[in-house]
Structure formats: C-alpha cells, structure tokens
Amino acid sequence: MDAELFPRGRREIAPGAAHLPDWLDAGLQRALLDACRAWARPPAGLRTVRTPGGHAMTARQVCLGLHWGPVPRCPACRRPVRDNPDCPGPHQYPYAYSRTAVDGDGAPVKPFPPRLGALARRAVTDALGPQALPTAPYDIALINFYGPDARMGMHRDADERADAPVVSLSLGDSCVFRFGNTETRGRPYTDVELRGGDLFVFGGPARLAHHGVPRVRPGTAPPDLGLDGRLNITLRVSGR
C-alpha cells in the first residue's frame, strides 16, 4: 500500500528474527521474478515435493546450488531412520541435500548465482547487523511458488550443517507467515503479514524456530508486477 494509517517499519518478531517491510524495490522485485521464471524451467525445474509418506506439498519448489528433497535413506549410512549415532555423517533423513534433482527429473541442480549471495549478506546486515554475517558464503536457494490455496505446515530449517541466518524474500501475493518457537510446532507463535517486497531474516536463537504459511491472500500482489500467486526465495548457507 502506498499510504497507511500506521506505516510499516522494521519489527523484531523474536530475538534473532526481524521483519523489514518493502525491502525490495519494484525494480529488484521484477528482476527476481524474471530470474525465478528462468530457474523454474526444466531441467531441474519447478516440481511438486512429496513427503516421505507420499503427501504432495501444495507449494511447488525449485532449488539452486543444492537440491533439497525427500530421500529413501540417509546418503551417508544408507539407513532409513531419523537418528543414527553411528552414521559416518552427517545423518540426513528423511530429507537431504544433493547435487541432482533426485525427486524430480534427476538433472543436475542449477548453480547458485553470486548476486543472490550478495543480496543475502546485505539482507542480514540490514536485518540483524553486520555481526550476524556468516563467515561462509550463501550457496543455496529454495524457491517456493504458492498458488491461491497453497500453504506450508510448521517446520524447522534444520538440514543445513551451518547455523547462518536464513534470508526470506517475498514476491507477489501477501501471506500469513507464522513464526513460532524452537521446541514445538504449536504455540507460542506470532502471525506476520508478509507482502511482496518484504524481507524476513532469522538466525541466532531463532535459527531453528518452527515456521509456516497457513494461508495466502490471493489478488494482493502489486498489480504492475505481473505475478498471480506468491514466490518465496529463501537463501541459506549449506556448511558443506
């Protein structure tokens, strides 16, 4: 919105988690949308992710740098168990990172663009301060497309070896982003409206907080962007 009774400003949602409204200007939003459309094309393009139980996630996804998805067994120990103290490690199950789209067309994942790494570092600096910058470079992007009925259940981003802050960029339709706690998927949590152009960063004590998207608000995208739906770009450090 161009004018509001109470203008939106930076907001700390929890220690280590910050929301910066309108962080992406209109030109950068359009450039990222154009790039996302190119990344979504095959090979290793946009796909429907299925949980280990066979449930299809309603948000579709494409990955850059490394591919994230379900695996039939841990790549290191080859065992289909959530915990294995004897794994030569790191133990990854039921989800893991790989170099190919193992649950898609099997093609090598597209490279992670350096410009996204620079954008992630600027985002962390603006949201949490330069002291929160990781020493390792950002090297993974998970891009989720949400249609009008898509949602994302409460989960933690815990498959990376690094504890660098997660950077989340929103394009298109607004959504309700539910940011919770590190212990459970339930309360306490805070619902935050994320609009197109907003930035959300979480690290430090909030790095492993549960979070999700209970609903999207169709028809709320900036009209001149040319996007029906919501794109969320999350940038991470793999630690590999």
Side-chain angles (χ1 to χ4, degrees):
M1 297 181 182
D2 293 330
E4 298 190 51
L5 181 60
F6 301 104
R8 301 188 308 152
R10 181 192 182 280
R11 180 184 173 198
E12 184 178 271
I13 306 303
H19 172 212
L20 277 68
D22 304 316
W23 189 76
L24 296 168
D25 64 35
L28 189 48
Q29 290 179 58
R30 286 191 293 270
L32 285 171
L33 175 57
D34 289 343
C36 286
R37 285 176 168 150
W39 294 326
R41 296 188 181 100
L46 194 70
R47 81 209 193 280
T48 297
V49 181
R50 293 189 176 274
T51 67
H55 173 73
M57 295 185 183
T58 53
R60 291 180 289 162
Q61 186 181 92
V62 63
C63 303
L64 306 176
L66 288 171
H67 182 89
W68 177 88
V71 291
R73 60 188 60 85
C74 172
C77 68
R78 313 302 295 173
R79 294 187 60 192
V81 294
R82 289 185 178 271
D83 296 299
N84 180 14
D86 297 324
C87 178
H91 189 69
Q92 298 181 88
Y93 180 83
Y95 299 98
Y97 283 107
S98 61
R99 298 288 180 185
T100 59
V102 293
D103 64 331
D105 58 11
V109 67
K110 294 179 176 74
F112 182 84
R115 67 181 183 275
L116 286 185
L119 189 64
R121 296 184 71 83
R122 181 161 69 88
V124 172
T125 300
D126 288 356
L128 304 179
Q131 75 283 352
L133 285 170
T135 55
Y138 279 81
D139 59 350
I140 305 172
L142 271 60
I143 302 166
N144 290 311
F145 175 73
Y146 293 79
D149 298 319
R151 62 195 65 200
M152 185 75 70
M154 295 293 278
H155 65 283
R156 299 193 303 170
D157 296 345
D159 295 312
E160 299 77 33
R161 301 181 195 175
D163 61 357
V166 174
V167 172
S168 172
L169 305 169
S170 293
L171 300 174
D173 283 340
S174 301
C175 77
V176 175
F177 179 67
R178 181 162 291 170
F179 195 77
N181 62 86
T182 59
E183 300 300 324
T184 73
R185 291 182 173 88
R187 296 181 183 274
Y189 55 70
T190 301
D191 284 348
V192 182
E193 182 187 41
L194 293 184
R195 300 180 188 171
D198 285 6
L199 165 68
F200 196 96
V201 179
F202 55 100
R207 175 59 178 79
L208 293 179
H210 291 86
H211 55 282
V213 177
R215 66 181 179 275
V216 174
R217 292 174 172 158
T220 55
D224 57 347
L225 183 62
L227 174 62
D228 292 325
R230 175 178 185 258
L231 278 169
N232 174 233
I233 305 171
T234 64
L235 307 174
R236 313 177 187 190
V237 176
S238 69
R240 295 170 64 122

